[in-house]
Every structure is written in C-alpha cells, then in structure tokens.
Amino acid sequence: MTRQIFVGGVPIGGGAPVTIQSMTNTRTDDVAATVAQIRRLAAAGCQIVRVAVPDLAAAKAVGAIKEQIDIPLVVDIHFDYKLALECVAAGCDKVRINPGNIGGEDRVRQVADACRQKGIPIRIGVNGGSLEKPILAKYGGVTPEALVESAFGHIRLLEKFDFTDICVSLKSSSVPVTMAAYRLMSEKSDYPLHLGVTETGTPRMGILKSAVGIGGLLGLGIGDTLRVSLSADPVVEVYAARDIL
C-alpha cells in the first residue's frame, strides 16, 4: 500500500478511494472564466483541479480563484521556481513541478521549504517528452526504466531537503511504456501514484488509450489518483475518468 498525502482535505494513497482530477484550459489570469470552468468540473465529479501557471499574472490569480472554489487547487509550474513560491503563499493545495527544470538545488530547496511550512504536497511530474538528455542517452530513448530513474532522481533531490510529502506521475504517449513504468515504480516505491497517459489526443482515441492504460493499472491495484488527458472540454475528461473507475 502507498503512503498517504493530503491535497487540501482530500486523501491520496494509503487505501483512500481513487480520486478524479482534471485541468482547466482557460487562461488562469482570467479568474472569472477559470472559476466558472472549475465549478462545472466539480459538478461533473472532479475532486481536484489543476491550473497552469506560466507567468506572474497567473500566479497572482491563484488566491482569487482559490477563494471561489470548493475543491483543492493544484498549480502547474515549469521552469520558474518563483511562481511556485508565489502560489504557495497564495494558498494553493498542491504544486506540480519537475524539480529538474526549475534550476539549481537551492531553488528546489526553497520550494520544498515553502511547501513544508504550509503542509502542501508536491507532485513530481515525469514526462516522456521532457526526460533529461543523459537518461535518454543511457536508455536509448523513452523506456519504463528511464522514466523511473528520472523520478527517483527528483525524489532524492526533495528527500535531500527533508521533503517527503510527494506524489509521482510517469507519463508517456505510449500506453505500454506508461503501464510498465508505473508497475516498476510501484515495486520500488511507496509514494502515491498519479495515473495518466500523456498526449492522448482526440476524445475517441484519448479515451481508448486512457481506458486501457489507466484502467489496466487500476485493475492491477496500482494508482491513487488519475486524470484522463484529452484535447476537449475538460468536463469530458471527468466523465471519462468516472466511466473508467
């Protein structure tokens, strides 16, 4: 059984029910549109929602969004650790980062320290499309072993700063690679796992790939929370996730 973390008041792992997540496709700095979409997602059955934070305007909108919604809010951070710090201060419920792309160890430490002080977990998001070049060279491409090695590199970095409030995802556009990576990770770690298949595309193919990949893993008893990623209205993601569960 995986260890348990809490995103807002929602438990992930440790035998808790599998939770459904989605991600908005509005501009995060458009607070009204983002809040309206999150409310639609929640009404459809979404339990945790993620927003993109590509710039300071988006980060500054997080507090206002958080005040107007009733489900936990996750922020998606790439490259700029200061945006993560801004969102933590604004009251987000979880931070999704790739620790390897936000700069040196001191920047990772600052994010880990800020999250620890607020009791905010971090999701390490490993993606086949952005694996580190040395790992790609070692394994000759995106393999399950490459995804898992990348994940453990990020985990060790957070653990170095005494941070263990962690959830992990290992996504690839290949269903077999994704499934094998999660199976391998589940054998080697007890951190809770966020399931997903990346770049799944249109609703028809996306739902098929997600049903096989996510559903197959759930059938093996692997996975604590999930998102079906589609090029569609995110409400469709929630309905698909509910059907898979």
Side-chain angles (χ1 to χ4, degrees):
M1 184 181 293
T2 55
R3 65 181 75 181
Q4 191 168 83
I5 66 171
F6 282 87
V7 181
V10 177
I12 293 177
V18 176
T19 50
I20 294 172
Q21 301 194 29
S22 185
M23 185 173 183
T24 58
N25 61 7
T26 55
R27 284 182 58 96
T28 304
D29 58 2
D30 185 341
V31 173
T34 301
V35 167
Q37 188 172 78
I38 291 172
R39 288 175 175 169
R40 287 175 55 233
L41 288 166
C46 181
Q47 295 159 287
I48 298 170
V49 69
R50 179 160 51 114
V51 296
V53 181
D55 51 37
L56 189 57
K60 289 188 176 298
V62 165
I65 294 167
K66 173 71 179 163
E67 289 174 358
Q68 299 176 62
I69 63 174
D70 298 317
I71 59 175
L73 185 66
V74 183
V75 293
D76 197 15
I77 307 293
H78 291 273
F79 308 113
D80 191 347
Y81 78 105
K82 291 180 180 177
L83 298 178
L85 298 178
E86 185 84 26
C87 291
V88 169
C92 69
D93 295 296
K94 183 166 76 169
V95 174
R96 185 271 187 190
I97 59 170
N98 179 329
N101 73 15
I102 62 170
E105 289 192 4
D106 182 62
R107 294 179 176 183
V108 176
R109 180 188 57 76
Q110 289 185 58
V111 175
D113 288 348
C115 287
R116 186 190 308 102
Q117 289 165 14
K118 292 285 192 77
I120 296 172
I122 290 175
R123 171 155 75 90
I124 293 172
V126 177
N127 193 308
S130 58
L131 279 178
E132 300 91 328
K133 289 181 180 177
I135 290 179
L136 285 172
K138 177 179 177 180
Y139 291 99
V142 179
T143 67
E145 294 78 12
L147 290 165
V148 170
E149 181 168 324
S150 177
F152 272 109
H154 302 320
I155 287 169
R156 282 192 295 271
L157 189 53
L158 289 176
E159 289 179 340
K160 179 178 180 179
F161 302 120
D162 196 31
F163 191 91
T164 57
D165 200 7
I166 297 168
C167 183
V168 180
S169 63
L170 310 109
K171 298 182 180 181
S172 163
S173 57
S174 162
V175 172
V177 169
T178 298
M179 292 183 71
Y182 277 108
R183 291 181 68 178
L184 184 60
M185 192 71 193
S186 72
E187 294 169 3
K188 294 176 174 290
S189 165
D190 68 349
Y191 282 117
L193 296 174
H194 171 107
L195 301 184
V197 181
T198 193
E199 298 170 15
T200 53
T202 61
R204 180 177 179 275
M205 281 309 299
I207 290 171
L208 284 170
K209 291 177 73 173
S210 295
V212 173
I214 295 172
L217 288 165
L218 291 172
L220 295 171
I222 296 169
D224 303 287
T225 185
L226 66 93
R227 178 198 170 197
V228 175
S229 178
L230 302 173
S231 301
D233 184 328
V235 170
V236 179
E237 298 183 351
V238 178
Y239 290 144
R242 287 172 56 182
D243 289 342
I244 289 170
L245 280 174

